[in-house]
Amino acid sequence: MEARVKRRVFLLLVSCIWVPMEVLGGIDNVTVSSLSWPKVVKFGALFTVNSVIGSSVMPAILAAVDDVNADSTVLSGTKLDVVTQDTNCSGFIGTIDALQLMEKEVVVAVGPQSSGIAHVISHVVNELRVPLLSFATDPTLSSLQYQYFLRTVTNDYFQMYAIADLVDYYGWKEVIAIFVDDDNGRNGISVLGDALAKKRTKISYKAAFSPGATMSDIDDLLVSVNLMEARVYIVHVNPDTGLSFFSKAKKLGMMSSGYVWIATDWLPSVLDSSDFNKDTMDVLQGVVALRHHTPDSDKKKTFTFRWKNLKSIKTSRFNSYALYAYDTVWLVARALDLFFKNGGNVTFSDDPSLRDTNGSSLKLSSLRVFDQGQKLLQILVGMNFTGLTGQIQFDPQKNLIHPAYDVLNVVGTGLRTIGYWSNYSGLSVITPEVLYTKPANTSTSNQQLYNAIWPGETIRRPRGWVFPNNGKPLRIAVPFRVTFEEFVKKDKGPAGVKGYCIDVFEAAIDLLAYPVPHVYILYGDGKRNPSFNSIVNDVAQNKYDAAVGDIAITTNRTRIVDFTQPYMESGLVVVAPVKETKSSPWAFLKPFTIQMWGVTGVFFLFVGCVVWILEHRMNPEFRGPPRKQLITVFWFSFSTMFFAHRENTLSTLGRCVLIFWLFVVLIINSSYTASLTSILTVQKLSSGVAGIDSLISSPDPIGVQDGSFAYNYLIDELHVPKSRLRIIKSEAEYVSALQNDPKGGGVAAIVDELPYVELFLSNSKCIFRTVGQEFTKSGWGFAFQRDSPLAIDLSTAILQLSENGELQRIHDKWLSNNECSSQNNQVDDTRLSLSSFWGLYVICGGACTVALVVFICRVYCQFLRYDPETEEPEISEPESARSSRRSLRSRSFKDLMGFVDKREAEIKEMLKRKNSDNKKQISHISDVQQNSPV
């Protein structure tokens, strides 16, 4: 009993002790779980506080920290604290501040805004494994080089491509880049150059100035760029000094009509965060700028209303960097929340590679490594939420997705949005958020912007270039020709040259809305024609600004220079000696081709046979012995050629066929007479060369004008051996080469451009002729360096000259109007072929066929009614035998032919008698039936 009581007491004690321990154990587990989150977690902010960007960023960061700490759903009671460092716009101080920030064991660093400082401290955070969420926009700050670098604003890479699309949209070909010579400026303009190159546009000059440049330095820089040709300026400078730049440009008259100013996002950052007076805005009138695009939302509106009540604000307004800063803090908070939920700990350890040097006070050992920085970085890169700036998410290159910009125009006292740019659809007047819901379309036709108001208060698109004010006229190369000087030649006048090509160029220049100072420079020694390929190559290599003359536009040349609209049509032709063709005793056969003669003869016989078939049964003239009938067919057929047929046609079908045939004969006779008359009366010239094909196939030498592109064309394209080509250096050699036989030192023919050949034939009184057809098509134009805007304007002027008739008047002034006919009047060209008459033969053949079909049907119907027994003696035989004999006889082809050969009158009489007998028989049967007893 006592033992049982002791056992119960022991169990009671155990239960009393165990249950509280279980409860305490459960409480202790909860406490340990919550205590694994630190009470405070620190991140660093590294900015220049007293700057355009810093004055907007710092209040936004502090507001975001307060909002995070006030939100119980984030970090579960852990307080987020920010450690700030002011870089004071100094690369050295900023680097020191960054090291001091790392000493304070922050888990994330936000900033800096300076790309130069970001380059330096990116090495530090890589070593210490602290993620750096930077506002530096330098495109060369790559996550491949700096693993812990993460950009939380739009990369300048996209901004430069937006500017390139803008320049291409307005059709400008050259720009001048003005930038601060630091990491951000140099690298941004480098990307701009690549982007413009893809649009066949270029940066003609890079105007760089140091970060600490004085106003005098800026003034000198603007004066130098104002002397250049391009008038499109891309301004990529710091926000804190940019406005003074435009003030200097205004004083130099560079904010007037004809100038184009495009500013990067620094200008909207300045204007959005400050209030400016009218004088300041007047300086910026007409400037186009880009601003980070942030979609409108309720969160953004709420933040805007809160701004004036935030602590530490220095301005009543803010720029887009404030929105990015606010979202960056929330990115840090959400990432840390997920980091702690996944078991992350904030611990630091010493870096064995960082040791204090003896006697050094740098205390490098105080810089410690964030043990789980890699894990936090992965969480940051994978975050995806919607903030004030839109969707916060990173692409594989650790850039924010959906980069977009507002395209702004400074008008009046504010900024006017004329469109948007996104890497999804390019330029558009529709917001990027709407375009993201549609298929991407970056085609040129889809690029749209509203009209901009340019400097000088004009909506007309500026040309974008002028002739430079440095006193250097255009250097124009002119070929110093020896042959055909009517096109261009040396002159003692002020210009130094004259000719057809020079007059066309001067007339086109006069139509331009601006003066074009230029000087002509003769190209060549005057002893032989220069190489036109060499002229074009020298223009491409910037030895000359342009080339004016009889320069053919070829494929190879268009690859290195730009040509204007052709002002004269050209192409290669063959000119050869010709001789008069003597008349032949067989000339009467030449009007028709062999095919034509053959088909005509066949139709004569065919029509004769058809008429004989149709007339044979009723016309005595077409009957008789076989020999007579055969002669009749031949006689009738060929006598119709002269309308001398004596046989009359009696049948209706025969007359119809004859009407069609006589019409055909009339046309053939008339055509034959006209062609034969031409052959016998017109002078005939013949040549041993029929065209380029026969010339190439022969072994005879070929003449080519000195300097002409025909030389290379014959070798490269038509594969003519060089040994067959003879260079013609003067017009006298032209004549002698054609007059002499190839065996006597001459050429079989000369291949040259059509304008030269026409002038040569006119000057030589048309004793030579062109043979064959023009086998290439091209034209003459003026050559300019690639992407020269003058080529486009001159093309328009040449079209105006063509439309108003001035181009023809210049042609008539210099070039003779006495044209020589081409050698296209050879006998083969005047012979009449079947292709000209097949329609007549088809009509006649159809008429004959229809007549035969009608005739055969008519005869066959008569044959079915025909009973040959009516012609035989009456012999008594059984009815069954008679029926059998009739059936067999009706199937006999011989009976059918015999029937066809009978006269029409006999057939009609026989059928008439048969009808009469049938009626009598029917009457007899009827009488018998009536008299028979019922």
Side-chain angles (χ1 to χ4, degrees):
M1 182 66 182
E2 183 177 357
R4 185 179 300 174
V5 172
K6 291 180 177 179
R7 189 183 302 114
R8 289 180 178 177
V9 172
F10 175 77
L11 291 176
L12 180 61
L13 291 173
V14 169
S15 62
C16 292
I17 296 173
W18 180 257
V19 172
M21 288 182 65
E22 283 293 319
V23 174
L24 291 174
I27 295 175
D28 186 63
N29 288 338
V30 175
T31 305
V32 170
S33 176
S34 61
L35 290 177
S36 65
W37 291 41
K39 294 182 179 180
V40 178
V41 60
K42 296 182 292 184
F43 75 95
L46 191 66
F47 291 95
T48 299
V49 177
N50 295 321
S51 66
V52 172
I53 294 177
S55 61
S56 291
V57 166
M58 293 311 298
I61 288 177
L62 297 177
V65 170
D66 292 340
D67 291 346
V68 169
N69 291 330
D71 192 338
S72 60
T73 62
V74 181
L75 293 177
S76 299
T78 297
K79 182 182 178 182
L80 185 65
D81 194 13
V82 57
V83 180
T84 61
Q85 292 288 124
D86 189 356
T87 60
N88 291 316
C89 292
S90 172
F92 176 74
I93 295 177
T95 303
I96 299 301
D97 288 343
L99 294 175
Q100 292 176 352
L101 191 65
M102 295 298 107
E103 289 180 345
K104 299 175 182 179
E105 297 186 345
V106 295
V107 295
V108 173
V110 177
Q113 67 202 63
S114 169
S115 297
I117 300 175
H119 274 281
V120 176
I121 67 173
S122 291
H123 294 284
V124 177
V125 297
N126 270 10
E127 183 69 23
L128 301 180
R129 302 177 192 171
V130 176
L132 177 65
L133 309 185
S134 179
F135 285 11
T137 57
D138 181 1
T140 61
L141 282 167
S142 169
S143 59
L144 297 177
Q145 181 181 5
Y146 306 113
Q147 180 182 359
Y148 285 84
F149 176 85
L150 192 62
R151 198 188 328 261
T152 54
V153 295
T154 305
N155 192 336
D156 261 357
Y157 173 90
F158 301 106
Q159 181 171 213
M160 297 307 161
Y161 272 81
I163 293 176
D165 284 348
L166 196 63
V167 171
D168 182 63
Y169 175 79
Y170 288 111
W172 298 312
K173 295 299 181 182
E174 291 186 8
V175 303
I176 292 177
I178 302 174
F179 60 97
V180 178
D181 194 11
D182 59 8
D183 289 335
N184 187 54
R186 284 192 305 273
N187 298 329
I189 296 302
S190 177
V191 173
L192 176 62
D194 296 338
L196 290 173
K198 295 180 180 179
K199 304 290 184 180
R200 288 194 62 185
T201 308
K202 64 180 181 179
I203 300 176
S204 60
Y205 182 72
K206 294 181 179 180
F209 59 92
S210 63
T214 64
M215 296 305 296
S216 177
D217 295 334
I218 295 176
D219 188 77
D220 293 341
L221 182 142
L222 289 174
V223 170
S224 65
V225 299
N226 196 33
L227 295 175
M228 298 178 183
E229 180 178 322
R231 282 292 184 266
V232 181
Y233 303 110
I234 310 299
V235 184
H236 188 47
V237 297
N238 294 327
D240 301 287
T241 59
L243 290 181
S244 60
F245 182 89
F246 280 105
S247 299
K248 282 292 184 182
K250 180 74 171 180
K251 292 179 180 179
L252 293 174
M254 299 176 66
M255 300 301 296
S256 58
S257 179
Y259 290 86
V260 177
W261 294 90
I262 301 176
T264 52
D265 64 309
W266 68 267
L267 181 59
S269 297
V270 174
L271 298 180
D272 288 343
S273 59
S274 304
D275 293 320
F276 294 99
N277 55 35
K278 184 178 182 298
D279 293 337
T280 302
M281 297 305 294
D282 286 343
V283 172
L284 301 172
Q285 291 301 300
V287 175
V288 173
L290 298 180
R291 177 176 61 195
H292 299 118
H293 174 74
T294 55
D296 293 331
S297 63
D298 293 338
K299 292 182 179 180
K300 181 178 175 181
K301 293 178 182 178
T302 302
F303 182 81
T304 303
F305 293 146
R306 290 177 54 195
W307 177 260
K308 293 183 179 180
N309 298 323
L310 297 181
K311 56 185 177 181
S312 302
I313 63 170
K314 297 182 179 181
T315 61
S316 60
R317 301 169 60 186
F318 62 89
N319 53 43
S320 58
Y321 284 94
L323 304 177
Y324 283 109
Y326 186 88
D327 285 346
T328 301
V329 174
W330 272 98
L331 172 66
V332 172
R334 292 175 185 273
L336 287 173
D337 183 70
L338 188 59
F339 173 77
F340 292 135
K341 287 181 179 178
N342 292 338
N345 292 316
V346 179
T347 58
F348 294 86
S349 59
D350 294 333
D351 188 345
S353 61
L354 296 177
R355 299 177 181 176
D356 292 333
T357 307
N358 292 334
S360 173
S361 60
L362 292 178
K363 297 183 180 180
L364 296 178
S365 59
S366 62
L367 300 176
R368 307 181 71 196
V369 177
F370 181 20
D371 294 329
Q372 296 192 7
Q374 177 65 31
K375 181 177 181 180
L376 179 59
L377 176 65
Q378 293 177 353
I379 294 175
L380 286 167
V381 173
M383 293 302 296
N384 183 3
F385 68 95
T386 301
L388 300 183
T389 58
Q391 187 176 1
I392 307 300
Q393 186 179 356
F394 297 95
D395 62 17
Q397 289 74 38
K398 297 182 180 179
N399 291 315
L400 288 173
I401 65 170
H402 300 323
Y405 291 89
D406 299 334
V407 183
L408 308 174
N409 186 204
V410 181
V411 179
T413 58
L415 295 171
R416 170 174 165 260
T417 302
I418 60 174
Y420 307 92
W421 180 91
S422 68
N423 69 329
Y424 185 76
S425 294
L427 297 171
S428 175
V429 295
I430 303 174
T431 58
E433 297 77 45
V434 177
L435 295 177
Y436 294 148
T437 62
K438 302 177 181 179
N441 186 357
T442 57
S443 62
T444 303
S445 60
N446 195 53
Q447 306 301 293
Q448 293 180 349
L449 289 175
Y450 293 117
N451 289 333
I453 299 178
W454 303 102
E457 297 184 357
T458 176
I459 62 173
R460 182 178 180 181
R461 180 188 68 86
R463 190 170 65 247
W465 67 278
V466 295
F467 280 93
N469 297 325
N470 53 12
K472 294 181 180 180
L474 283 180
R475 301 162 299 165
I476 299 178
V478 177
F480 196 172
R481 294 196 59 86
V482 176
T483 58
F484 306 113
E485 293 184 340
E486 289 86 347
F487 293 107
V488 59
K489 63 180 178 179
K490 184 178 180 180
D491 184 50
K492 295 181 180 180
V497 290
K498 66 178 181 178
Y500 169 75
C501 301
I502 301 301
D503 282 4
V504 173
F505 182 75
E506 292 290 345
I509 288 292
D510 291 340
L511 291 179
L512 299 182
Y514 48 89
V516 182
H518 57 278
V519 59
Y520 295 113
I521 303 173
L522 287 172
Y523 191 97
D525 56 10
K527 297 179 180 180
R528 59 181 296 182
N529 291 337
S531 170
F532 286 84
N533 285 336
S534 298
I535 298 177
V536 173
N537 287 331
D538 286 350
V539 172
Q541 294 173 8
N542 200 26
K543 294 181 180 179
Y544 302 96
D545 297 311
V548 172
D550 44 338
I551 304 173
I553 302 173
T554 64
T555 303
N556 290 334
R557 293 172 183 174
T558 57
R559 293 191 178 106
I560 57 177
V561 297
D562 284 347
F563 281 95
T564 61
Q565 171 80 15
Y567 62 88
M568 173 173 274
E569 294 183 359
S570 180
L572 294 180
V573 294
V574 178
V575 57
V578 293
K579 59 182 179 180
E580 185 176 353
T581 304
K582 296 182 180 180
S583 180
S584 169
W586 300 100
F588 68 90
L589 293 177
K590 292 181 178 179
F592 288 165
T593 61
I594 296 176
Q595 186 183 26
M596 181 66 180
W597 279 117
V599 173
T600 302
V602 170
F603 256 84
F604 270 107
L605 295 177
F606 174 67
V607 172
C609 293
V610 171
V611 172
W612 178 84
I613 292 173
L614 298 177
E615 294 291 321
H616 177 70
R617 303 184 70 199
M618 64 177 57
N619 194 336
E621 296 181 351
F622 288 88
R623 299 186 66 83
R627 180 181 178 184
K628 178 184 176 183
Q629 295 185 46
L630 183 61
I631 294 174
T632 300
V633 169
F634 277 92
W635 165 255
F636 180 84
S637 298
F638 291 101
S639 62
T640 54
M641 181 185 301
F642 313 102
F643 304 97
H645 52 286
R646 64 186 180 184
E647 293 81 7
N648 294 322
T649 51
L650 302 180
S651 67
T652 303
L653 294 177
R655 289 175 178 177
C656 291
V657 169
L658 191 60
I659 288 174
F660 282 99
W661 174 241
L662 291 179
F663 176 73
V664 174
V665 170
L666 175 64
I667 300 299
I668 293 176
N669 279 342
S670 302
S671 302
Y672 176 86
T673 303
S675 180
L676 182 61
T677 301
S678 173
I679 292 174
L680 296 178
T681 58
V682 177
Q683 182 186 22
K684 297 299 174 183
L685 302 176
S686 65
S687 172
V689 179
I692 187 63
D693 294 330
S694 64
L695 181 62
I696 294 174
S697 61
S698 70
D700 296 331
I702 302 172
V704 179
Q705 184 186 179
D706 191 17
S708 173
F709 82 94
Y711 184 86
N712 291 331
Y713 182 84
L714 291 174
I715 295 174
D716 299 336
E717 301 296 333
L718 302 184
H719 308 293
V720 177
K722 291 183 180 180
S723 58
R724 290 186 57 193
L725 301 181
R726 302 289 185 269
I727 302 299
I728 308 298
K729 298 181 180 180
S730 66
E731 292 185 56
E733 287 189 30
Y734 246 89
V735 177
S736 62
L738 291 173
Q739 287 180 338
N740 295 331
D741 189 81
K743 296 181 181 179
V747 296
I750 293 177
V751 176
D752 208 344
E753 296 177 62
L754 183 60
Y756 301 131
V757 171
E758 289 178 343
L759 184 58
F760 168 72
L761 295 179
S762 178
N763 293 341
S764 61
K765 299 182 180 179
C766 301
I767 61 175
F768 307 104
R769 298 292 175 91
T770 58
V771 294
Q773 302 295 323
E774 185 178 354
F775 59 92
T776 66
K777 290 289 185 181
S778 61
W780 289 355
F782 305 129
F784 289 85
Q785 295 178 11
R786 291 301 297 268
D787 302 322
S788 172
L790 190 58
I792 300 174
D793 291 350
L794 277 180
S795 295
T796 304
I798 290 172
L799 290 176
Q800 293 178 4
L801 291 176
S802 178
E803 292 172 357
N804 61 24
E806 183 63 24
L807 199 60
Q808 184 62 42
R809 285 190 287 270
I810 298 174
H811 180 278
D812 296 341
K813 172 186 174 182
W814 286 99
L815 306 178
S816 175
N817 291 324
N818 297 326
E819 297 182 357
C820 299
S821 60
S822 300
Q823 180 58 24
N824 57 2
N825 56 351
Q826 299 178 4
V827 174
D828 289 341
D829 295 334
T830 59
R831 300 182 73 179
L832 301 175
S833 64
L834 183 62
S835 60
S836 302
F837 298 96
W838 68 269
L840 288 174
Y841 287 122
V842 169
I843 294 174
C844 183
C848 293
T849 303
V850 171
L852 284 176
V853 171
V854 173
F855 174 78
I856 291 172
C857 293
R858 181 169 172 268
V859 170
Y860 184 72
C861 291
Q862 290 179 345
F863 182 70
L864 292 178
R865 298 168 55 195
Y866 171 67
D867 187 5
E869 69 177 356
T870 58
E871 300 182 80
E872 298 179 0
E874 293 290 339
I875 299 177
S876 177
E877 59 180 340
E879 182 66 24
S880 61
R882 184 181 301 176
S883 300
S884 176
R885 182 170 55 83
R886 185 183 303 122
S887 176
L888 290 174
R889 187 170 295 173
S890 65
R891 295 190 182 97
S892 174
F893 181 75
K894 183 178 179 180
D895 290 340
L896 177 60
M897 291 296 99
F899 176 78
V900 172
D901 190 53
K902 290 181 179 297
R903 291 173 177 267
E904 183 75 14
E906 293 180 8
I907 297 299
K908 290 183 178 180
E909 182 63 27
M910 190 181 303
L911 294 177
K912 182 178 179 182
R913 186 168 57 252
K914 181 179 179 180
N915 291 336
S916 177
D917 291 343
N918 289 337
K919 290 181 180 179
K920 290 180 179 180
Q921 185 176 2
I922 293 172
S923 176
H924 176 70
I925 293 173
S926 177
D927 291 341
V928 172
Q929 289 178 348
Q930 290 178 0
N931 295 328
S932 61
V934 179

